Amino acid sequence: MNKEAIIDNIRRKRSFLCVGLDTDMKKIPKHLLSEEDPVFVFNKAIIDATAPYCIAYKPNIAFYEYGDGGWASFKKTVQYIKTQYPDQFVIADAKRGDIGNTSAMYAQTFFSTMNADALTVAPYMGEDSVTPFLEYQDKWVILLALTSNRGSQDFQFTEDAAGERLFEKTLRVSQRWGDDHNMMYVVGATQGSLFEDVRRIAPRHFLLVPGVGAQGGSLEEVCRYGMNSECGLIVNSSRAIIYADNELEFASAAGREAMKIQQEMAKYLSEKGII
């Protein structure tokens, strides 16, 4: 999926919401556990309920790596989205990144075999660990830049002798490898006004923004400091949507929660003159 298609979907749906499919067998409704593939049945119901309100889905691979069954659930989930909702942008949240030949195999797995549109990638092994992911047309690398967890303070804010912080160097140097048509950045919603620092270096790139909802990030702050003239944001919410209810009506509850976020997003898009 190219950049223009993503922007068109944002305008058409009046939304830049990504639903995180962090599907935990311990948290899904108990009545689903008798199904042959409870994870896929859960995901399918969540997707059907939320698709009108979002433009992307982000399965976190950690929730699918428990064995052959988990990988099968992941593959079926991606195939279902691609078949039933082909306008949705599918992000495999795998945080891969290794020496070149290994990265090439990761890229083949997620882009060719699994048919994901984007993959999250750890950048800290440098250019040769990232460029194999950039060889696929209309596929996206989403580099970790400034994350939402408390431990982001440990390394990402470290300054060099010139006062440049590590996350800033990541943004600056990585733009030699790709551009705003094949590379995005992860910037956590909890970082607030630091989005301004990110935008000074990467004004046109899309930012994948986790941390809204259960992690306490503010959508209003994200939009105030991070939105550009094309929107430039894909804001993820996982637990607050998919676990809004764990009874028989879990999917309807997820749909209502997604609609509530979409309505707030539409307001910010309108204020910015994007829709």
Side-chain angles (χ1 to χ4, degrees):
M1 183 179 293
N2 61 35
K3 185 176 183 180
E4 290 71 25
I6 297 171
I7 294 170
D8 286 347
N9 284 342
I10 289 170
R11 290 178 173 143
R12 180 171 52 86
K13 290 194 166 183
R14 304 166 63 87
S15 173
F16 45 98
L17 174 62
C18 174
V19 174
L21 297 173
D22 301 357
T23 306
D24 186 343
M25 198 87 80
K26 300 184 187 72
K27 294 182 179 179
I28 66 175
K30 289 184 171 51
H31 71 273
L32 297 180
L33 297 179
S34 60
E35 298 282 349
E36 182 179 349
D37 188 344
V39 169
F40 175 66
V41 172
F42 176 83
N43 286 352
K44 180 178 178 295
I46 294 292
I47 292 162
D48 289 341
T50 59
Y53 312 111
C54 67
I55 56 104
Y57 289 97
K58 184 176 73 65
N60 188 315
I61 303 304
F63 292 89
Y64 301 88
E65 289 185 316
Y66 54 82
D68 292 344
W71 280 110
S73 299
F74 172 75
K75 190 170 185 178
K76 284 193 287 185
T77 296
V78 175
Q79 288 175 336
Y80 184 74
I81 297 168
K82 291 290 186 177
T83 301
Q84 299 299 319
Y85 305 98
D87 63 338
Q88 293 287 347
F89 187 63
V90 178
I91 302 166
D93 189 2
K95 302 178 180 69
R96 297 299 197 255
D98 207 327
I99 59 173
N101 63 335
T102 309
S103 284
M105 294 306 297
Y106 283 139
Q108 180 179 313
T109 295
F110 287 102
F111 290 151
S112 294
T113 305
M114 298 297 185
N115 198 25
D117 295 302
L119 181 69
T120 56
V121 174
Y124 296 114
M125 287 182 69
E127 180 179 8
D128 61 318
S129 72
V130 175
T131 50
F133 298 103
L134 294 167
E135 295 175 1
Y136 291 75
Q137 186 173 3
D138 292 336
K139 301 292 187 179
W140 294 79
V141 168
I142 309 181
L143 285 185
L144 302 178
L146 183 58
T147 57
S148 57
N149 60 307
R150 187 175 65 247
S152 66
Q153 300 283 336
D154 293 341
F155 299 114
Q156 294 166 31
F157 289 86
T158 304
E159 296 184 9
D160 64 15
E164 185 175 49
R165 292 167 291 187
L166 182 57
F167 79 86
E168 293 171 315
K169 181 168 290 187
T170 300
L171 293 166
R172 179 176 55 80
V173 172
S174 63
Q175 289 182 59
R176 302 172 190 163
W177 314 335
D179 58 30
D180 60 291
H181 288 268
N182 63 2
M183 185 180 289
M184 304 183 185
Y185 296 103
V186 174
V187 180
T190 55
Q191 299 297 350
S193 62
L194 286 171
F195 275 83
E196 290 185 318
D197 297 336
V198 171
R199 280 299 184 207
R200 276 193 285 271
I201 303 170
R204 293 182 55 82
H205 287 71
F206 263 94
L207 307 178
L208 174 63
V209 184
V212 167
Q215 294 184 56
S218 164
L219 180 58
E220 187 276 330
E221 281 195 349
V222 169
C223 294
R224 187 196 326 160
Y225 297 118
M227 186 176 282
N228 63 21
S229 62
E230 299 173 322
C231 180
L233 299 170
I234 299 176
V235 173
N236 182 79
S237 180
S238 300
R239 286 169 286 173
I241 291 177
I242 68 173
Y243 300 131
D245 188 278
N246 66 352
E247 301 298 331
L248 288 173
E249 300 300 317
F250 72 95
S252 297
R256 288 192 297 272
E257 188 63 31
M259 181 176 66
K260 184 165 63 175
I261 298 172
Q262 180 269 329
Q263 290 173 342
E264 185 180 358
M265 288 178 168
K267 181 183 75 170
Y268 298 131
L269 289 168
S270 179
E271 290 173 354
K272 192 74 173 179
I274 296 169
I275 58 173

